[in-house]
Amino acid sequence: MDGGGRLARSQRSPRPQNELMDALVGVAAVLRARLPFVSSLAGGRRRHHQPSGLIAFLERLPRRAGLAATLLLLTTSVGLGIVKGGHLEQFLASVSEARNAIANSAGFRITSVAINGRKQLTQDEILVIGGVNGSSSLLFLDAASVREKLKADPWIAEATVLKLYPGQLRIDIVERAPFALWQRDGQLSVISEDGAVLDRYVTPRFLNLPLVVGKGAETRARDFLALLARYPQVRAATKAVIFVGERRWNLRLKDGLDIRLPENDVGNALAALSKLDKEDRLFSRDIVAVDMRLPDRLTVQLSEDAAKAREELFKDKKSKKKAGDA
C-alpha cells in the first residue's frame, strides 16, 4: 500500500504482456509445425530452458510492434496453409463473393442487362460465357475480363462491355454467322466463313447449310462455294463438296453422281458441266461418275445396270452384223 492506505498500482500492467506472450507461443507452435528450422530452434530452447532467438526478439519489441509482428506471422501462416492445401481458388472466390455482397447491399447490384447483336446465342448463354451471374456487382465487375471471355467464344467475333452506374450493364456483340456444315472423320460441325468451328452439335436449324467434307475444306470452302454459286444448275443438284488430298474438289450430287473436278481451271470445268446438263441432260443419265481431271477429255462411268445393258446392246449389234455378212 502507499502512504494513504491505497493499493499501489504498478506503472505497467502485466496483462497485455501476458496476452502477447500467449499469442507468441501459439505462433511459435504453428511455425514449428510448418517450418523445420523453427522446430530446431524450439528444440534448442527445451534443451537449454531458454527462449529461442525469435521469441526473445519478439519479447523485446514494444507492445504494438510485437502485436503487429504476431499478426503478420499469423497471416503468413494462414496464407501458407491456403496455398499448400490447394484452397487458393476457393479462398479467392469467397473473397469475391463477400465484396460483391457488400457492393450489392450498397446499391451497386446489376438490375438490368441490355445485350445487342445476338442472333444465335441467348441472353443467358452470353451472360454465362462472360461470367456474369446474379451475385455479380457492377462496382467490382471487370469489363475488360468479361469482354475477353466473350471474344474467346467461337460464336462471338467482337464484343463491347459498358458499365452504366449504378446498376445497368450493356453488352454489344458481333456474332459469326453459320456458313456451312463441315464433316471430317465422321464428325459433323457448324463452321463460319473463316473456317472457325462454331458448334459440334448440329441442330435441325443448320441442316440446310452446304455440306463440305475433308481435311482443309473448312478454310477453302468459302471461295469454292462462291465459284459454284455462279452455276446455279450445278449448285442446285449438289449435295456435298469434297476436298480431296487438300488439292482439288469433287462434287457429290443429290442422286449419288460423283463429279471429279480438275485441280486447275475449275471454273471452266463447271461451265462445261453446266452446259452438258442443259444440252444433254447429263445429270439424268444412268451414270455413277464423271471424271474431268484431264483437260482434254471427259470420262463417264456407267452404272452397273447401264454397263450390262450397253454390253448386251453391243453383243446384239455384233451378232446381227455377222448374220448380215453371212
Side-chain angles (χ1 to χ4, degrees):
M1 292 187 180
D2 59 11
R6 291 169 298 181
L7 289 173
R9 286 187 287 179
S10 63
Q11 296 298 317
R12 183 175 181 180
S13 174
R15 184 173 180 181
Q17 181 71 18
N18 293 336
E19 291 179 351
L20 176 60
M21 285 301 301
D22 292 341
L24 291 175
V25 170
V27 172
V30 173
L31 291 176
R32 283 199 300 272
R34 295 190 178 276
L35 302 176
F37 74 88
V38 177
S39 297
S40 63
L41 289 174
R45 184 178 64 85
R46 285 195 299 268
R47 286 193 300 268
H48 299 290
H49 304 287
Q50 293 179 357
S52 67
L54 177 62
I55 300 301
F57 172 74
L58 291 175
E59 287 178 347
R60 291 195 297 268
L61 291 175
R63 184 188 310 173
R64 292 183 180 179
L67 181 59
T70 301
L71 293 176
L72 177 61
L73 288 173
L74 285 173
T75 303
T76 303
S77 179
V78 171
L80 188 63
I82 290 173
V83 173
K84 285 191 172 181
H87 305 297
L88 182 58
E89 291 186 4
Q90 183 179 356
F91 174 75
L92 293 177
S94 300
V95 172
S96 178
E97 290 179 3
R99 70 176 187 176
N100 280 330
I102 294 173
N104 287 337
S105 64
F108 294 101
R109 182 181 299 277
I110 299 175
T111 57
S112 64
V113 178
I115 300 179
N116 303 314
R118 66 178 185 86
K119 296 178 181 178
Q120 303 293 334
L121 297 173
T122 66
Q123 176 168 310
D124 290 341
E125 287 174 334
I126 293 173
L127 292 177
V128 169
I129 294 170
V132 181
N133 54 50
S135 63
S136 300
S137 68
L138 196 68
L139 182 62
F140 292 112
L141 185 70
D142 188 345
S145 176
V146 174
R147 179 176 180 270
E148 291 304 316
K149 290 178 182 178
L150 291 172
K151 288 184 64 178
D153 189 88
W155 278 103
I156 301 175
E158 189 55 71
T160 302
V161 180
L162 296 176
K163 301 197 300 183
L164 305 175
Y165 288 99
Q168 296 182 7
L169 179 64
R170 175 177 169 178
I171 300 176
D172 298 328
I173 65 171
V174 177
E175 283 190 0
R176 289 186 174 91
F179 175 69
L181 300 180
W182 175 44
Q183 180 179 323
R184 182 186 175 188
D185 299 331
Q187 174 68 48
L188 199 62
S189 306
V190 182
I191 61 173
S192 62
E193 280 191 349
D194 59 2
V197 176
L198 302 179
D199 204 333
R200 297 193 181 276
Y201 178 71
V202 179
T203 59
R205 58 179 171 161
F206 299 129
L207 293 179
N208 291 328
L209 293 174
L211 176 62
V212 299
V213 182
K215 181 181 178 181
E218 76 280 15
T219 57
R220 301 281 293 275
R222 176 176 57 184
D223 294 338
F224 179 75
L225 289 177
L227 178 62
L228 184 61
R230 300 178 187 176
Y231 307 95
Q233 188 162 342
V234 180
R235 176 67 185 89
T238 299
K239 178 181 180 181
V241 297
I242 305 168
F243 201 40
V244 182
E246 299 186 65
R247 296 184 299 106
R248 63 175 192 83
W249 294 92
N250 283 353
L251 303 179
R252 173 68 57 83
L253 303 191
K254 294 176 181 178
D255 61 359
L257 176 62
D258 284 327
I259 310 293
R260 299 163 189 166
L261 296 172
E263 184 175 351
N264 301 311
D265 296 327
V266 182
N268 291 334
L270 291 173
L273 193 63
S274 180
K275 182 178 180 181
L276 284 170
D277 186 57
K278 288 180 181 179
E279 296 178 354
D280 299 326
R281 299 180 60 82
L282 179 67
F283 299 161
S284 302
R285 294 183 178 274
D286 196 4
I287 56 179
V288 295
V290 176
D291 194 340
M292 307 180 73
R293 290 177 292 178
L294 298 177
D296 58 344
R297 70 189 67 181
L298 182 145
T299 305
V300 175
Q301 180 182 347
L302 299 175
S303 67
E304 186 176 350
D305 291 340
K308 287 181 180 180
R310 186 172 183 273
E311 185 178 354
E312 292 296 329
L313 179 61
F314 276 110
K315 285 182 180 179
D316 186 51
K317 286 184 178 180
K318 189 175 182 181
S319 62
K320 287 181 179 180
K321 183 177 181 181
K322 287 182 178 180
D325 292 340

